[in-house]
Amino acid sequence: MPRPLAFTNARLVDPESGYDGAGCLIVRDGVIADVLHRPTLDGASGDLELIDCGGDMLAPGLVDVRVKTGEPGAEPKETLKSAARAAAAGGVTSIVVQPDTNPAVDDPSVVDFILRRARDIGLVRVYPAGAATKGLAGKQMAEIGLMREAGAVYITDVDHPVVDSLVLRRVLSYAAGFGALVSHRPADPYLSAGAAATEGEFAGRLGLAGVSPMAERIMLERDLALAELTGAPLLVDQVSCAASLESLTRAKDKGIKVFASASINHLSFNELDIGDYRTFYKLTPPLRAEDDRQALIEALASGLIDVVVSAHAPAPAEDKRLPFDEAAPGAVGLETLLAALLALYHDERAPLVDLIASVTLKPARLLGLDAGRLTTGAPADLVLCDIGAPVLIDADKLISKSKNSPFDGRRLQGQVKMTVVGGRTVYPF
């Protein structure tokens, strides 16, 4: 086991208790041994490695529930190891990798492969999500029960909407029987086919094929109806427009078991950031209007949106250096998630403890993971961050194999100084 650690003079941010203040934290045998709400230790044991935090934030390590990699099948985009290293550098201690690989994670053997690879890498905690349908084709239900037993933490077809309502009903009902959450990204594929941007004046001026935000709301209404019908829990993946928030509010008020995530990209950018066809801003779902972005921030602050994700989707240069319509969608985000989220704190849009909860305790509870809290006996998964330190994002210096970051060149605040997983320091490397 690693040497016991004592973090002193820290700003402890604990989403479970709501505490945000001075404190010390002691780590032994991979777990949190003690939490003290005072800046210094009295009579510290000689076996402790003392770390003076200098007033920096010490919080639970981030839990990012939507991370794409290229392994297996497209390793030049991203490997599990490069994603794990990028996560560690960003203060992310747990990642859920998506099943849209080659082969797809629609079988327990692929779930087992990912878990074994993660153990061999030995950096952050890696959890696989299992496919809802075989080959992500939306037609035949995958081996949900067996994948759940093998270690899949939730079920999703990622960016492939399940159009057949009967299939999705069966997926929801069957997954609920195994205690598995189903995540579904609402997007009517017929309305959104061929779209590269959000429908409107700006997309029209650029000559880009657009999709109305109603394509999201239409399918969301269907999904919410199926969640009500089955009684199964549903995670709405990457809600992105104000119209969808109205539907979510009604569903939650009605008692439907629905949760929602938003990507840090849609909380940080709007459609105008596309500018002169900058493909790093081509995302799925596409960036929306500024009114939608502001509505998402308000929904996050109010708790209507439960979880914030990086929506890490690596794409190599040859897939991005194309005309906007032809470029691959997606952006890397593991290394910029925390600093970008802290921008909402610096802009006084939400309390720090609530923002940290959206990337720690709330996703952990949603998936039944033992993470996201600074409590005696909890796993010592921690991030030490100077939340006021200026950071200039340079995509070329990112650890991720792909460099497609929309934050390239942006000035943020929040420098990760240390990441600890199970009491081991995994960053700096």
Side-chain angles (χ1 to χ4, degrees):
M1 295 298 295
R3 183 180 178 184
L5 304 174
F7 295 89
T8 63
N9 193 24
R11 178 181 177 179
L12 298 182
V13 178
D14 178 27
E16 185 173 60
S17 66
Y19 182 75
D20 178 0
C24 300
L25 186 144
I26 298 174
V27 174
R28 291 183 185 276
D29 300 326
V31 300
I32 297 173
D34 203 0
V35 180
L36 306 171
H37 292 173
R38 60 174 187 267
T40 57
L41 291 174
D42 296 328
S45 172
D47 68 334
L48 294 173
E49 179 182 345
L50 296 177
I51 300 171
D52 187 342
C53 300
D56 291 338
M57 178 186 75
L58 184 65
L62 275 59
V63 179
D64 190 350
V65 301
R66 201 185 202 277
V67 175
K68 291 188 178 186
T69 70
E71 188 177 357
E75 284 79 2
K77 289 183 179 180
E78 192 84 284
T79 63
L80 288 168
K81 184 174 183 178
S82 64
R85 285 173 55 83
V92 180
T93 55
S94 298
I95 62 174
V96 180
V97 295
Q98 301 301 284
D100 55 343
T101 50
N102 185 18
V105 187
D106 59 1
D107 182 273
S109 64
V110 191
V111 172
D112 183 65
F113 165 78
I114 292 172
L115 291 173
R116 285 187 288 106
R117 284 283 293 129
R119 285 193 294 268
D120 292 342
I121 294 165
L123 283 172
V124 303
R125 304 183 193 274
V126 178
Y127 303 95
T133 63
K134 291 187 176 181
L136 311 177
K139 296 181 179 179
Q140 187 177 357
M141 193 165 57
E143 297 286 355
I144 293 174
L146 294 177
M147 288 191 294
R148 179 67 170 164
E149 291 176 1
V153 293
Y154 71 84
I155 303 301
T156 180
D157 268 2
V158 204
D159 294 320
H160 304 268
V162 180
V163 181
D164 190 319
S165 298
L166 180 58
V167 172
L168 185 58
R169 176 184 179 176
R170 288 171 174 165
V171 167
L172 285 165
S173 298
Y174 195 70
F178 290 93
L181 177 72
V182 173
S183 174
H184 190 253
R185 191 173 74 78
D188 186 305
Y190 303 108
L191 287 175
S192 55
T198 295
E199 182 179 288
E201 180 182 352
F202 184 70
R205 288 183 176 181
L206 293 182
L208 296 175
V211 56
S212 168
M214 284 300 167
E216 177 174 298
R217 182 176 177 179
I218 287 171
M219 185 155 278
L220 175 59
E221 292 284 2
R222 190 279 310 255
D223 293 353
L224 295 174
L226 289 175
E228 181 179 12
L229 175 65
T230 60
L234 171 70
L235 173 61
V236 180
D237 178 30
Q238 292 191 86
V239 62
S240 66
C241 60
S244 294
L245 299 176
E246 299 172 16
S247 302
L248 277 173
T249 300
R250 289 197 306 272
K252 287 195 172 189
D253 289 345
K254 199 172 183 179
I256 298 173
K257 298 176 184 177
V258 59
F259 309 90
S261 72
S263 87
I264 191 61
N265 301 314
H266 291 87
L267 292 164
S268 303
F269 305 110
N270 65 35
E271 60 185 349
L272 300 182
D273 287 298
I274 293 172
D276 54 347
Y277 305 98
R278 287 173 285 186
T279 57
F280 280 7
Y281 294 91
K282 185 179 181 182
L283 306 173
T284 302
L287 291 172
R288 305 300 192 185
E290 177 63 11
D291 287 347
D292 290 309
R293 186 180 80 90
Q294 292 298 328
L296 289 180
I297 294 173
E298 292 172 7
L300 175 63
S302 72
L304 179 62
I305 290 175
D306 303 276
V307 174
V308 176
V309 298
S310 72
H312 183 82
E318 59 267 24
D319 291 343
K320 280 291 188 180
R321 292 176 182 168
L322 295 169
F324 197 90
D325 280 334
E326 301 174 20
V332 292
L334 282 166
E335 294 164 77
T336 52
L337 173 58
L338 180 55
L341 188 67
L342 287 172
L344 301 179
Y345 165 71
H346 294 303
D347 290 341
E348 299 181 347
R349 300 302 302 271
L352 180 60
V353 69
D354 292 345
L355 292 172
I356 295 300
S358 72
V359 289
T360 56
L361 184 64
K362 287 187 175 181
R365 282 182 171 171
L366 191 61
L367 301 183
L369 305 179
D370 189 7
R373 55 199 178 94
L374 301 183
T375 307
T376 301
D381 296 352
L382 309 166
V383 57
L384 181 64
C385 177
D386 182 348
I387 64 175
V391 179
L392 176 62
I393 305 301
D394 184 345
D396 290 335
K397 294 181 180 179
L398 294 177
I399 293 170
S400 174
K401 292 187 73 173
S402 295
K403 312 299 181 183
N404 53 311
S405 171
F407 291 94
D408 186 30
R410 176 166 284 208
R411 297 182 184 275
L412 300 171
Q413 286 178 274
Q415 178 66 58
V416 173
K417 301 177 77 172
M418 179 183 290
T419 304
V420 176
V421 177
R424 297 179 298 111
T425 300
V426 297
Y427 180 82
F429 302 120

